[in-house]
Amino acid sequence: QVQLVESGGGLVQAGGSLRLACAASGRACSTYTTGWVRQVAGKEREFVATLSWDGGTAYYADSVKGRFTISRDNDKNTAYLQMNGLKPEDTAVYYCAANRGPASLTRSRDMDYWGKGTLVTVSS
């Protein structure tokens, strides 16, 4: 079992930056692919990024490519999402997720574990 706790959300102006963190605990959590998924109220969850357990392979949604960077520190069992150039359409609840498979598995149904989410609000 893996537990995930997100932090770092908040209110930021358009063009600003935020860094989200996801603290993981549980058996072998450093061997899991980690990912970020976001959801706007009333809409389906949307893939943002995934990163392989060794940090070597990352996938990004086209909407965030070049602006967001996913990373991880396995010594700290923590993953990060650095978000730069934020836009109002990035406003959402951001969820940390993990799965036992490769980083290429980006669908929400591929994720085995979820955090409770952190709200990011970008004002125009």
Side-chain angles (χ1 to χ4, degrees):
Q1 192 76 355
V2 173
Q3 294 78 42
L4 304 171
V5 179
E6 304 94 336
S7 62
L11 174 64
V12 63
Q13 288 189 332
S17 298
L18 279 176
R19 188 175 80 154
L20 305 183
C22 172
S25 60
R27 187 174 180 177
C29 57
S30 63
T31 66
Y32 286 63
T33 285
T34 189
W36 292 92
V37 178
R38 66 188 181 185
Q39 186 172 28
V40 176
K43 295 188 177 182
E44 293 186 353
R45 289 185 176 181
E46 175 191 18
F47 161 72
V48 176
T50 54
L51 183 66
S52 60
W53 71 272
D54 62 354
T57 304
Y59 292 83
Y60 294 93
D62 288 342
S63 58
V64 307
K65 203 171 292 184
R67 299 187 298 123
F68 290 10
T69 302
I70 188 171
S71 62
R72 66 193 296 162
D73 184 339
N74 284 343
D75 290 336
K76 297 180 179 179
N77 286 337
T78 302
Y80 304 95
L81 185 68
Q82 178 67 44
M83 304 185 294
N84 299 328
L86 282 161
K87 305 175 181 180
E89 51 265 42
D90 294 318
T91 295
V93 176
Y94 283 72
Y95 296 91
C96 179
N99 76 62
R100 302 179 188 89
S104 56
L105 297 180
T106 60
R107 299 171 300 183
S108 291
R109 64 186 182 191
D110 294 325
M111 303 302 171
D112 299 309
Y113 301 102
W114 293 87
K116 293 185 178 181
T118 186
L119 177 63
V120 172
T121 304
V122 184
S123 62
S124 57

